[in-house]
Structure formats: structure tokens, C-alpha cells
Amino acid sequence: AMCVNDIAAQGAEPLFFLDYIACGKNDPALLEQVVSGVADGCVQAGAGLIGGETAEMPGMYAEDEYDLAGFAVGVAERSAIVDGSGITEGDVLIGLPSSGVHSNGFSLVRKALFEQAGYTVDTTLDELDGKTLGEVLLEPTRIYVKALKPLFQAGVVKGVAHITGGGFIENIPRMIPDGLATRIELGSWPVPPIFDVIERAGNVEHTEMFNIFNMGVGMVLAVAADRADEAMALLSGNDEPAYRIGAVVRKTVDDVELA
């Protein structure tokens, strides 16, 4: 998901993915589940799973441990690459919701929930609608390739920020030209309850949460104000939820402002 989302954030189309699985002991049933999940993600991204490598290393990993890595290749016409260079003051920011924590911040997740709060993966909390912490934390990262494609084809997107490690504060400025910044309107999108649970359990400052997690927004798009309605309509027409979460402003501070 992280590989193909990074490709999509540049206006490119993922072509294929290759995986690498390292383990302490080759467990065919387990590896079948892992590869099946990778294949499902490739279907969502419209990419092919064309190969991979499995390494059994009992001296490196315990019998019940495995490690995953992989990479994707994508393609775009040079003239169609979305690099944020055309972003101007007054452009609208549109947020596409995440499916949860996605794939970053888990060192803090473990420390806050399991070490400090004493929860386990089987803990259920009222805020999580009857799901266990394990179920919520292992919700697959959302893949945005198909959601973004119609917007790229229509030429309405000026810039894309994939909200990974570093959250809002580190990722959004990467697509913004010098001299500009973004003003984010808190409360303009629903924040999944798992983030409130993490913030409370770990006694994390609210602003710091935006410097670590996606806080319910996995992709942020910059579009011209006069095409924002068009972009929202394209997303709605494909049953893709989206929220207007802010705007591009003239830079007055070094970081993203949280209003």
C-alpha cells in the first residue's frame, strides 16, 4: 500500500510489485496468507505481482518471526507528473479518509497502548464499536490508486501529499512551493476513535499527534478553488468520500498551521 500510494501521489500509475519475505522457518500456510494479502493489494492498485523472494534464515529470525519488504514500479508521462509546482495561494485542500492508523507510528502505538495503558490486542473499548484493539490496528492501509486516477485524467490535481510517517506537519509542506503554507481546519473531517485512544493512553500532545499519525486523512490533494467542486463531484461519483480540510495560504510560519 505504501509503495503504490507513493507512486500515485506523483500522478503515476503502478505497473508491478515484487515482494521479499524473510523468516525463521518456512511455514507454507503462513506464507500463503501473506502472499494472498499482497496479491489482494495489487488488485486494488491495478498492479501485477510479478515475482518475489523468500529467504529462510533460522539464525537471524525466530521460528515464528517473519519480515516483509517490497517495491513497486510505476509510470507516468513526464508532462503529467504531479509535483506541486503549480500550487498557488487560495487553492483548496481536499482530504481522502484513511482506514485507520495505516503503516506508521506503531512504535508509539505499542508503547502507549500496551506498555503504558496495559492493553492487549484482545482489549475491547467502547470507542471502538466492539472491535478488539488488534482488529483495529491491523486494518489494512487504504490504497488510493483508483480513487485518484479520474482526478488525474481530468487534470484537476495540482499536488498530492501522502500522509505517512511525519503526519500532516512533515508531509503536506513537501508539496507546497516556497513562500506558501497550508491552513488546516480541524473538525472538517471525522477522526477515527483509535487516535483519541492512542492520544489519551500515551498522554501525547494533540499537536504532536499530527506530527506522527494521519489522524484520519491518508491523502491530501491541492486543487484550484474554481475546480474544487469538480474534484469533489468526481470523487463522489466514484463513491469516494472526501472532505475540504483547508487551503493554501501565504507563508507566515515555518510549519503547517493547525487552526
Side-chain angles (χ1 to χ4, degrees):
M2 296 314 227
C3 289
V4 296
N5 283 342
D6 278 346
I7 287 173
Q10 300 174 73
E13 181 178 355
L15 295 179
F16 57 83
F17 182 82
L18 286 89
D19 61 31
Y20 168 79
I21 305 171
C23 57
K25 181 179 181 180
N26 191 337
D27 181 343
L30 174 64
L31 296 185
E32 181 181 2
Q33 291 183 59
V34 172
V35 174
S36 177
V38 174
D40 287 345
C42 288
V43 171
Q44 292 180 37
L49 176 59
I50 65 170
E53 174 73 16
T54 301
E56 186 176 14
M57 296 186 287
M60 181 67 69
Y61 299 96
E63 284 193 3
D64 59 350
E65 289 183 344
Y66 63 94
D67 192 15
L68 305 177
F71 75 95
V73 173
V75 65
E77 293 292 340
R78 187 181 299 274
S79 61
I81 291 176
V82 176
D83 60 6
S85 60
I87 292 175
T88 58
E89 182 180 2
D91 285 347
V92 172
L93 300 178
I94 295 175
L96 304 185
S98 69
S99 56
V101 181
H102 281 186
S103 301
N104 54 273
F106 271 85
S107 295
L108 177 57
V109 167
R110 289 193 299 271
K111 183 176 179 63
L113 298 182
F114 304 142
E115 293 182 26
Q116 294 181 224
Y119 298 144
T120 72
V121 292
D122 296 318
T123 298
T124 58
L125 301 171
D126 291 340
E127 304 98 307
L128 304 181
D129 298 324
K131 293 183 178 180
T132 66
L133 273 176
E135 289 173 320
V136 173
L137 295 174
L138 289 177
E139 181 69 29
T141 299
R142 189 175 173 207
I143 291 175
Y144 296 92
V145 174
K146 293 180 180 178
L148 293 175
K149 189 173 182 178
L151 302 179
F152 294 142
Q153 291 175 335
V156 299
V157 179
K158 292 185 173 185
V160 181
H162 181 202
I163 311 303
T164 56
F168 277 53
I169 293 173
E170 290 187 18
N171 287 291
I172 295 178
R174 292 175 182 168
M175 72 169 172
I176 305 297
D178 291 342
L180 298 175
T182 57
R183 179 168 290 275
I184 306 299
E185 298 176 10
L186 300 186
S188 59
W189 74 91
V191 177
I194 184 61
F195 294 110
D196 292 331
V197 172
I198 295 168
E199 182 176 344
R200 184 174 64 249
N203 195 28
V204 183
E205 290 185 6
H206 190 57
T207 301
E208 183 64 11
M209 292 290 292
F210 287 84
N211 198 29
I212 300 170
F213 299 107
N214 66 64
M215 298 301 287
V217 174
M219 284 278 186
V220 175
L221 318 178
V223 302
D226 61 359
R227 302 197 72 180
D229 287 343
E230 180 184 354
M232 293 293 286
L234 284 169
L235 289 163
S236 177
N238 288 300
D239 296 322
E240 297 288 349
Y243 307 93
R244 298 190 191 210
I245 66 169
V248 178
V249 298
R250 190 169 299 279
K251 188 173 185 178
T252 57
V253 293
D254 291 333
D255 285 327
V256 174
E257 297 181 32
L258 299 176

